[in-house]
Amino acid sequence: MSDERPNFIVIFSDELDASYLGCYGGEITATPNIDSLAEEGARFTNAYAVASMCTPSRYSLLTGKYPGRCRHPQFLRENPETKPYCIGWNTYIDSSVQTIAQILSKNGYYTGMSGKWHVGVPDEDLPKFDPSDDPDDEEVDQRLRLHQKILAEHVKRIGGFNYAASVLLGNFDTFPIEKLRYHNIEWITEGALRFLELASKKDQPFFLYVTPTAIHGPPHHLSLEQDVRYTPEGKIENLKKYQSAREEKRRELEGLSSDKKHKNAGLWFLDEQIGMIMRKLKSLGLEENTVIFYMPDHNVEPGKATCYEKGLKIPMMMKWPGRVREGLVIDSLVQTVDILPTILDAAEIDAPSNTRLDGVSLVPLVEGRKSKVRDHIYFEVGYARAITDGRYKYIAFRYPESIIKGMEKGMIDYAPNYFGTQKQQHSCIAIEHYPHYFDPDQLYDLKRDSYEQNNLANDPGYKQILQGMKNQLKQILSSFKHPYNLEVPAFVKTKRFQELIEKTRSIGTDWIPWLKRDHGKIIWPPEDQP
């Protein structure tokens, strides 16, 4: 390539705790390829997602903006600007926002995407499927190929990518054909490797966004038993080359519990994928001029869909040969919203003058020119907003006025969760494990209480710290078009509200079929383990 600007690969996997990985001390299974990224580059120990859910987290990484900046028509219909918005699986990307792929494409980069999209659906009607459809049926196979073509064109048009392959709208377990409701990480990998082959032949730098579904459900160990050739874009014979490795891994897992099989197999899929991408880079002579980022979109239960550390804090690595010192460990605060401005800085591209970025470049940090680039990090989930300076975390949970009035008048006979509903899987799990989930003001000392079990908001000794963080959050919230009133409504201080909280808590988690099957019993805080 004559253009010597760096290439970029962002590998953005699905819900994972740092403790699962070898380079963070994990012992579930070996992760040599992921660990090598940390050994050959920088490993971050205080990295965070913006939201502990798939869609808003992906929105932030791709746009460099907080999810609440979303201007998608559907988001605004659900969240009029006169009311507080609710951040859920609703922050779609549309033509009103510029993505990292669009910005880089306009500046001479060849851009590609492979994997899970989950930030919007095509306007065009997709082919219809029946759950019992047979992927071996030629007519079904043709519909699958058309389905994939529409998805790929949607990603290219809305996301601004030049190339898109192996695109999955959401999670494998929601795919319309039952026989295809299993992970196929090799299919996603093939899409990424094809892009690298094409990119190597072009006289321009590239950007690749790879989004594997590991280690989200469905159970990864069950995917090991499937024929790898059957994919969401039809039957692909050359994927058969991966089948023997699947069979070998399946034999290795015999005798383990279901939850251990799930995590072990998922990490294996993920690590193998990263290894194949790195080996392809090396074989094409692209390794020395390619910056690689790895991180998951968020953490796992019981913190998923909350503003707690367990949902938001993530592992993150950045490899930049010749620019980032090998084995570098960075303890400073960083966030996924920082990836876009970091890439622009590394590529020496100015951010578009007509777009606001909430992230900051990490280049001065990884090159050792600054000890920190952030004083605080902001989060938003549902109707909750939060901020941390690394030592203290402040969470504000404010219902919109309509919900308060509904509870006051008896039209709502339960305490809604962060999403304004009564029963939602991740919320019920969090409610069971975080005693102060419903408190309107929450303050935690993360150094002494990293599991966020002791709310200090009502402790007079922390009044000044609480007010300072509240003021800082208020300043951030003032930059959004939607209002968010930090005044505490009188109703949430009443006995009646406490009764409604207990009613919601009584729902429990026994009704969630995948919880104990795929994750094992959650013991939180973990110190309580025998």
Side-chain angles (χ1 to χ4, degrees):
M1 294 184 182
S2 62
D3 189 332
E4 290 303 317
R5 288 182 295 173
N7 309 306
F8 300 97
I9 298 179
V10 173
I11 303 171
F12 203 39
S13 66
D14 211 320
E15 63 172 48
L16 185 143
D17 189 89
S19 66
Y20 296 172
L21 303 175
C23 56
Y24 285 89
E27 297 179 349
I28 293 174
T29 189
T31 52
N33 296 302
I34 297 175
D35 296 349
S36 71
L37 291 176
E39 293 164 3
E40 298 168 8
R43 177 172 63 89
F44 298 88
T45 63
N46 278 303
Y48 289 85
V50 179
S52 55
M53 297 167 292
C54 177
T55 302
S57 182
R58 290 161 196 266
Y59 177 93
S60 289
L61 183 136
L62 287 167
T63 67
K65 298 175 181 288
Y66 296 137
R69 310 276 187 213
C70 181
R71 313 313 293 162
H72 191 281
Q74 181 175 322
F75 182 81
L76 294 178
R77 283 195 298 271
E78 295 173 0
N79 300 280
E81 287 186 356
T82 56
K83 300 178 180 180
Y85 56 76
C86 179
I87 294 296
W89 293 265
N90 57 356
T91 51
Y92 293 167
I93 287 175
D94 69 340
S95 58
S96 70
V97 65
Q98 295 191 68
T99 68
I100 179 61
Q102 288 171 325
I103 298 170
L104 290 177
S105 293
K106 291 175 183 176
N107 284 274
Y109 273 75
Y110 180 56
T111 60
M113 184 266 174
S114 178
K116 178 177 171 180
W117 180 237
H118 217 188
V119 281
V121 297
D123 294 328
E124 184 178 349
D125 289 336
L126 292 167
K128 304 298 182 185
F129 297 98
D130 188 273
S132 62
D133 279 346
D134 185 357
D136 269 321
D137 185 299
E138 186 174 340
E139 192 274 331
V140 173
D141 187 83
Q142 290 304 311
R143 270 187 283 140
L144 285 169
R145 294 179 189 280
L146 176 59
H147 182 265
Q148 180 62 200
K149 181 179 179 181
I150 294 172
L151 296 188
E153 289 303 316
H154 170 74
V155 168
K156 288 192 283 186
R157 183 176 66 256
I158 298 299
F161 291 91
N162 303 122
Y163 166 103
S166 306
V167 177
L168 192 68
L169 265 186
N171 297 312
F172 276 104
D173 53 3
T174 61
F175 199 79
I177 297 178
E178 191 170 345
K179 288 184 178 180
L180 297 175
R181 291 175 186 168
Y182 298 93
H183 294 276
N184 197 323
I185 307 295
E186 297 93 340
W187 170 64
I188 295 173
T189 305
E190 280 292 299
L193 299 183
R194 288 200 304 273
F195 171 83
L196 292 176
E197 288 279 1
L198 292 171
S200 69
K201 297 179 174 68
K202 295 185 178 291
D203 193 27
Q204 61 189 121
F206 67 80
F207 166 71
L208 173 61
Y209 176 59
V210 189
T211 53
T213 54
I215 66 168
H216 196 287
H220 279 279
H221 55 288
L222 298 183
S223 301
L224 293 171
E225 302 173 7
Q226 309 306 311
D227 190 329
V228 72
R229 296 174 296 174
Y230 294 97
T231 82
E233 69 169 302
K235 193 173 181 180
I236 303 176
E237 288 295 336
N238 76 326
L239 295 182
K240 185 71 174 177
K241 61 190 175 187
Y242 300 113
Q243 196 68 37
S244 59
R246 281 185 168 209
E247 292 168 357
E248 182 180 349
K249 187 63 180 178
R250 181 168 53 83
R251 288 193 295 270
E252 288 179 13
L253 299 181
E254 290 177 1
L256 295 180
S257 63
S258 178
D259 64 293
K260 289 182 178 179
K261 286 182 179 179
H262 166 68
K263 291 177 181 175
N264 191 305
L267 287 170
W268 175 78
F269 273 125
L270 177 61
D271 195 70
E272 284 288 296
Q273 179 185 58
I274 291 175
M276 282 187 274
I277 290 172
M278 292 168 66
R279 288 190 291 274
K280 174 62 75 172
L281 273 179
K282 189 170 185 177
S283 70
L284 294 172
L286 300 171
E287 182 181 28
E288 292 304 311
N289 196 38
T290 300
V291 183
I292 302 177
F293 298 88
Y294 167 70
M295 72 222 78
D297 56 358
H298 53 78
N299 207 310
V300 298
E301 284 81 14
K304 186 175 177 178
T306 74
C307 288
Y308 296 117
E309 295 284 286
K310 187 60 174 177
L312 291 163
K313 197 166 187 179
I314 57 172
M316 182 188 290
M317 284 148 250
M318 177 183 178
K319 178 185 175 184
W320 190 0
R323 295 289 290 274
V324 175
R325 177 167 57 84
E326 292 188 1
L328 180 64
V329 177
I330 295 177
D331 299 323
S332 305
L333 293 171
V334 298
Q335 199 168 27
T336 50
V337 75
D338 299 331
I339 299 301
L340 186 152
T342 301
I343 289 175
L344 295 186
D345 190 1
E348 299 183 359
I349 295 172
D350 293 332
S353 59
N354 60 345
T355 190
R356 172 182 182 147
L357 297 181
D358 292 305
V360 295
S361 173
L362 304 180
V363 172
L365 188 62
V366 298
E367 290 190 335
R369 290 184 278 117
K370 288 187 178 180
S371 60
K372 65 176 182 177
V373 292
R374 286 181 166 279
D375 294 318
H376 61 268
I377 286 180
Y378 168 75
F379 314 105
E380 47 186 20
V381 169
Y383 289 117
R385 311 288 186 260
I387 190 171
T388 184
D389 60 6
R391 171 66 187 270
Y392 294 99
K393 163 89 70 67
Y394 169 61
I395 301 174
F397 176 30
R398 303 290 188 271
Y399 293 113
E401 187 178 357
S402 59
I403 290 180
I404 293 292
K405 287 183 176 179
M407 289 188 288
E408 287 178 331
K409 296 180 179 180
M411 293 182 292
I412 299 177
D413 65 345
Y414 57 89
N417 55 42
Y418 285 0
F419 303 99
T421 64
Q422 182 180 21
K423 188 177 181 182
Q424 193 273 331
Q425 296 180 16
H426 310 300
S427 301
C428 285
I429 295 170
I431 289 167
E432 188 170 79
H433 294 89
Y434 291 95
H436 301 285
Y437 178 97
F438 289 100
D439 291 5
D441 284 331
Q442 301 173 43
L443 179 68
Y444 299 100
D445 182 341
L446 300 178
K447 184 176 181 180
R448 298 178 178 176
D449 179 25
S450 61
Y451 306 116
E452 294 160 300
Q453 301 290 296
N454 181 26
N455 183 10
L456 303 171
N458 296 316
D459 187 325
Y462 291 86
K463 183 178 180 180
Q464 188 173 353
I465 293 173
L466 175 66
Q467 191 57 52
M469 299 201 76
K470 209 169 189 177
N471 290 341
Q472 199 165 41
L473 178 61
K474 187 176 182 179
Q475 183 178 354
I476 295 172
L477 294 174
S478 68
S479 70
F480 290 91
K481 294 186 177 181
H482 295 73
Y484 194 86
N485 189 351
L486 287 176
E487 294 298 317
V488 179
F491 179 77
V492 302
K493 301 176 183 179
T494 65
K495 181 181 178 182
R496 176 57 182 159
F497 182 60
Q498 294 304 313
E499 292 171 348
L500 297 182
I501 288 175
E502 291 310 309
K503 185 172 182 179
T504 302
R505 286 192 183 282
S506 68
I507 296 172
T509 59
D510 289 342
W511 58 280
I512 306 173
W514 53 264
L515 179 58
K516 293 180 181 178
R517 181 194 69 207
D518 300 341
H519 293 270
K521 181 175 176 56
I522 295 175
I523 300 176
W524 194 257
E527 286 93 344
D528 289 350
Q529 296 183 62

